[in-house]
Amino acid sequence: MSVASAFMAVLRRDLLLGLRHRVEIINPLVFYILIASLFPFAVGSDRSTLGIIGPAVIWVCALLAATLSLDRIFHADFEDGSLEQLFLARQPLVLLTSAKVLAHWLLCGLPLIPAALALNALYQLPVTSLWPMLTTLLLGTPVFSLTGAALAALTVGLRGGGVLLALLILPLYIPVLIFAVGAVGNAMNGLSIAGELYFLAALLVLALTLMPLAAAAALRIRLG
Amino acid sequence: MLESLYKYAAPQNFYQLSRRLTPWLAGAAALLLLAGLAGALWFAPPDYQQGESFRIIYVHVPSAWMSLFVYVVLAAAGITGLVWKVKVADALARASAPIGAAFTFLALATGSLWGKPMWGAWWVWDARLTSELILLFLYVGYIALQGAIEDRRMAARAGAVLAVIGLINIPIIHYSVEWWSTLHQGPTVTRFDAPAIHISMLIPLLIMALGFKLYYAANVLVRMRCELLEAERNSAWVRQLGS
Amino acid sequence: MPNIPPTCKLELRALQCSRNDALLFNDLSCVLQTGETLYVRGANGSGKSSLLRMLAGLAQPDAGDVRWCGTDTRALGSDYAAVLQYVGHQNGIKLDLTAQENLAFYQALNGGPDAAALITALERTGLASCAALPARRLSAGQRRRLALARLLLWHAPLWLLDEPLTSLDDDGRALFRGLMQRHTTGGGIIVMATHEADIGANGPHRELVLQ
Amino acid sequence: MNSLGEFLHMGGYGLYVWGAYGLSAAILIWNAIVPTQREKSLLRELAARSNGRSGP
């Protein structure tokens, strides 16, 4: 039973800290909506171009907003010594890093989805794109948190960690980006998007199995 | 056999071995590259369609092969260093990164030099070239991570984790880019690989590929010696080397 | 209070450590029986913290190993984590949580909630009055006491303390020496990195000086 | 491929073919020289350090 209680303890603590620091949660969202609404000023506002670039902009900006908030998964704990205490706890480190990843997704990944659906309207995208946007984000944002956590653990506490983290993480997001925006685009053209969703689900399962292990290994190296 | 191999896992023995091997490897690489060059520029017939510019394949394809080969070596060496704590394997991983990045850049540069006469543009969003570009980002990420961590052993182990994550993602990226390029570009035939290549064209290609491999082996041994000299600065065998 | 078998001991066997290719110490061996305290002294940067982190399992030695009750600590895994408490330079305290929430978190992480033990831990470190205060509003000394209160949440025979008395006032130091005294007479083992000269007052103790 | 001129001309693609081979040669040679120089300077530095202190 203590395995579940340890998982819940870390999850509850991180959620509590996140909600007590609401600014840290709101800022990436505001940033997301801000950069996503910059593009119409650049390409003009006629509906056809917005329709073409809409899904791509909404998705790329979601990816950037998620990357922006990755640093907070381990950085605060690394600075104040809590990470060492998590490392020395009786429960396996993989379990505790998974709890931290889930907390990050609930605080920073999930809120991106309503913002993205609002941006759908901003880009005057047809209603047919709402459902694909929702499902691709539901499958994609956990991958941001999972892969992001592994690499945030690798670069925790390094000089220039933020930019280095983005440099390491963005190439790994390309497959998710390709299939997600491809799915939304195909859905708007009335094609079936089962293939893309299956692939996104496969990427999610792969990240779910591998990335907590990689994060635990990376933390063990960084603390060592 | 393993014991004698294990002997060379110790930095000191490896250093002597690598000093003995390098001249032979470098000499063989030079010979092969010259032979390959002669074959590529002289003996191999021009392509019936692309004419002389097809000769760029003899440099583009081997360096593309090498860019992937070196990344696999880098990841394998990283794991060996991480799991069995073999210092020489860490040195191999750190030394391979710049060479792999050089090969990847070379593949991209020769690819664009080939694309210009054929498709009129310095950059073509072809699936193979795009995967190569992403591989370059992975290399740059690895080298940036090595630079960001002072402690040599921690840098090597962090690099190993990154290389493994990268290695797992390479086939995924490759498949996604393939799917993406057919989605947007349609099936135009971008002949970057060598489908039905005539034997007289294949031989120089294989000679060049082997030459590149030996060149990598010689070069990585020299870079590994530099790594070991710096990493083992305070150990006795390095001090003896000086006197 | 699960007391440990009297034969249990902490063995350091030919430990070697280097940092950034510079050798800190090598061939360092020592055996600590129950009830003993080891004071680790040395100038800044002489490797005191590295040694303590190595004993805790946070860092791997270049050579040699650490044994607890005869088995290598790396092989013990989470069993070793159950007998060990580590207080490093940083307190491991979240400033946005209250003193009580901080300790409750560590209890939930390592066993289960135990309100009584939590209250007594706060009382014995003189923090009972500020249990509901966010750690942000505590002074540095009070935060250090909160980190030391963690040691009392459950009975861990082995205490690894890295300069625990920093930023404590005089009665804080006296209070904590009392706690150490109670721990060692109760059969615990303490390894403590320290600068204080007069610390070796109570109980059987050994000293280890790192150059 | 009889005359040298034609050889250099490469059927009109001379710039690209020689550009590719020239760049490859440049990168491979530079990539070979840099580490060998570095090793020489490391060994020189070691020799200087040990002669300077004439002993371990």
Side-chain angles (χ1 to χ4, degrees):
Chain A
M1 233 307 279
S2 69
V3 174
S5 78
F7 183 90
M8 287 312 297
V10 174
L11 180 63
R12 206 178 303 117
R13 183 195 70 158
D14 271 23
L15 290 178
L16 196 62
L17 285 172
L19 295 178
R20 286 196 180 157
H21 251 293
R22 227 166 265 105
V23 169
E24 268 181 43
I25 310 299
I26 306 289
N27 281 355
L29 275 181
V30 172
F31 171 81
Y32 175 37
I33 294 173
L34 178 62
I35 51 172
S37 47
L38 287 183
F39 285 79
F41 300 109
V43 293
S45 62
D46 71 304
R47 192 164 183 157
S48 58
T49 41
L50 288 190
I52 294 166
I53 66 163
V57 165
I58 292 174
W59 248 93
V60 169
C61 298
L63 187 145
L64 292 177
T67 306
L68 192 71
S69 64
L70 279 182
D71 212 22
R72 68 185 296 281
I73 299 181
F74 295 118
H75 193 72
D77 287 357
F78 182 81
E79 293 298 328
D80 62 26
S82 317
L83 211 52
E84 285 170 348
Q85 296 303 328
L86 288 182
F87 187 87
L88 294 172
R90 268 165 246 189
Q91 309 312 333
L93 189 58
V94 183
L95 181 86
L96 307 179
T97 46
S98 310
K100 291 190 77 63
V101 168
L102 180 58
H104 176 266
W105 181 61
L106 292 174
L107 290 173
C108 303
L110 221 48
L112 291 178
I113 296 178
L117 298 184
L119 286 170
N120 253 30
L122 199 75
Y123 276 77
Q124 303 156 344
L125 296 181
V127 178
T128 56
S129 75
L130 272 179
W131 170 249
M133 183 65 79
L134 177 67
T135 42
T136 50
L137 280 169
L138 270 176
L139 289 172
T141 45
V143 176
F144 294 161
S145 298
L146 284 158
T147 316
L151 291 166
L154 215 52
T155 59
V156 68
L158 290 181
R159 296 182 319 287
V163 176
L164 178 65
L165 179 56
L167 177 68
L168 298 182
I169 195 76
L170 290 177
L172 302 180
Y173 285 157
I174 289 174
V176 176
L177 186 64
I178 287 176
F179 281 101
V181 181
V184 178
N186 286 348
M188 279 161 61
N189 302 337
L191 303 169
S192 120
I193 55 169
E196 290 87 344
L197 293 185
Y198 281 133
F199 201 90
L200 282 173
L203 290 177
L204 174 57
V205 168
L206 180 70
L208 263 173
T209 46
L210 284 183
M211 289 311 165
L213 290 169
L219 285 180
R220 194 162 289 117
I221 290 168
R222 287 294 299 144
L223 284 172
Chain B
M1 211 284 285
L2 201 58
E3 289 71 26
S4 66
L5 195 65
Y6 193 72
K7 183 160 74 75
Y8 293 117
Q12 181 176 4
N13 305 338
F14 177 83
Y15 186 85
Q16 307 305 342
L17 171 71
S18 100
R19 278 202 81 94
R20 278 202 308 275
L21 278 182
T22 311
W24 295 101
L25 286 172
L31 280 179
L32 275 174
L33 286 177
L34 285 177
L37 210 60
L41 292 173
W42 221 296
F43 301 118
D47 181 65
Y48 66 94
Q49 216 181 10
Q50 298 182 11
E52 303 298 340
S53 73
F54 184 72
R55 293 185 190 283
I56 296 180
I57 187 176
Y58 298 111
V59 181
H60 172 71
V61 170
S63 46
W65 285 343
M66 280 310 289
S67 64
L68 189 59
F69 173 76
V70 170
Y71 198 91
V72 172
V73 168
L74 186 144
I79 296 170
T80 322
L82 185 65
V83 174
W84 291 287
K85 303 210 176 1
V86 178
K87 282 208 174 71
V88 169
D90 290 343
L92 171 59
R94 282 171 67 94
S96 299
I99 309 172
F103 277 130
T104 319
F105 174 76
L106 198 54
L108 286 170
T110 49
S112 90
L113 276 168
W114 191 0
K116 179 69 174 136
M118 283 307 112
W119 295 285
W122 288 109
W123 174 254
V124 177
W125 282 98
D126 161 76
R128 200 171 297 278
L129 273 184
T130 315
S131 303
E132 202 67 37
L133 179 65
I134 300 171
L135 183 58
L136 184 63
F137 292 148
L138 294 183
Y139 271 114
V140 169
Y142 181 89
I143 294 169
L145 183 67
Q146 297 294 304
I149 304 177
E150 293 85 19
D151 180 62
R152 191 173 294 276
R153 218 157 38 86
M154 187 187 285
R157 291 158 74 191
V161 172
L162 179 66
V164 166
I165 294 177
L167 193 65
I168 292 168
N169 273 285
I170 283 179
I172 298 171
I173 289 173
H174 189 72
Y175 176 76
S176 327
V177 167
E178 292 276 341
W179 180 85
W180 166 79
S181 76
T182 52
L183 183 75
H184 291 282
Q185 209 182 3
T188 57
V189 176
T190 53
R191 281 247 321 263
F192 275 101
D193 49 13
I197 183 166
H198 187 263
I199 190 72
S200 67
M201 293 180 177
L202 191 58
I203 292 172
L205 190 63
L206 295 180
I207 294 175
M208 288 295 274
L210 191 57
F212 271 42
K213 280 203 166 39
L214 290 179
Y215 169 87
Y216 163 64
N219 193 264
V220 85
L221 285 181
V222 178
R223 284 178 182 271
M224 283 172 78
R225 289 206 300 271
C226 297
E227 292 285 335
L228 290 174
L229 284 178
E230 277 169 7
E232 306 276 316
R233 219 177 13 264
N234 302 321
S235 58
W237 68 274
V238 173
R239 246 181 255 115
Q240 271 154 14
L241 273 181
S243 57
Chain C
M1 285 297 206
N3 50 26
I4 55 164
T7 58
C8 234
K9 55 186 184 309
L10 181 69
E11 295 164 80
L12 289 69
R13 291 151 46 94
L15 283 174
Q16 179 188 334
C17 171
S18 57
R19 185 191 304 141
N20 289 344
D21 315 329
L23 190 67
L24 288 176
F25 52 79
N26 67 355
D27 202 14
L28 188 143
S29 298
C30 173
V31 178
L32 281 172
Q33 307 291 349
T34 53
E36 276 193 324
T37 304
L38 175 69
Y39 296 110
V40 181
R41 276 191 215 297
N44 293 339
S46 58
K48 297 198 298 298
S49 297
S50 301
L51 174 61
L52 279 171
R53 289 171 67 85
M54 218 176 269
L55 296 182
L58 285 167
Q60 300 301 324
D62 295 358
D65 57 37
V66 179
R67 292 180 177 245
W68 172 256
C69 305
T71 38
D72 190 320
T73 52
R74 279 174 292 218
L76 281 173
S78 68
D79 298 342
Y80 187 52
V83 298
L84 157 74
Q85 278 266 31
Y86 170 78
V87 173
H89 285 302
Q90 297 137 334
N91 293 328
I93 299 293
K94 282 292 172 189
L95 301 182
D96 294 317
L97 297 178
T98 68
Q100 199 162 354
E101 283 168 346
N102 269 298
L103 294 184
F105 166 70
Y106 283 115
Q107 274 189 338
L109 191 61
N110 283 296
D114 176 353
L118 194 146
I119 302 299
T120 46
L122 285 172
E123 276 156 8
R124 284 167 58 195
T125 47
L127 292 172
S129 59
C130 41
L133 275 178
R136 183 179 301 283
R137 290 220 290 278
L138 300 178
S139 72
Q142 286 170 319
R143 286 182 202 158
R144 196 57 173 168
R145 288 177 186 229
L146 191 55
L148 296 175
R150 197 173 54 229
L151 296 169
L152 309 173
L153 290 178
W154 61 85
H155 177 69
L158 177 61
W159 284 4
L160 301 173
L161 311 172
D162 197 346
E163 290 172 23
L165 304 180
T166 45
S167 67
L168 284 184
D169 51 21
D170 283 345
D171 60 10
R173 288 165 189 261
L175 186 132
F176 186 65
R177 282 198 201 102
L179 292 176
M180 284 172 59
Q181 173 79 26
R182 259 169 64 91
H183 183 67
T184 45
T185 47
I189 299 175
I190 295 179
V191 179
M192 176 167 146
T194 178
H195 286 298
E196 276 77 24
D198 70 335
I199 191 71
N202 39 32
H205 68 278
R206 312 251 299 276
E207 285 206 14
L208 173 69
V209 183
L210 296 178
Q211 261 61 40
Chain D
M1 205 58 79
N2 35 43
S3 77
L4 182 62
E6 220 165 86
F7 179 67
L8 288 181
H9 186 51
M10 274 291 171
Y13 298 115
L15 167 68
Y16 305 109
V17 174
W18 293 113
Y21 279 83
L23 185 66
S24 313
I27 288 180
L28 291 186
I29 291 166
W30 176 74
N31 189 29
I33 288 173
V34 164
T36 36
Q37 301 297 20
R38 195 156 138 247
E39 191 190 8
K40 284 198 182 69
S41 68
L42 277 171
L43 288 175
R44 233 179 292 119
E45 180 200 314
L46 270 172
R49 197 166 59 134
S50 77
N51 298 351
R53 276 187 290 103
S54 70

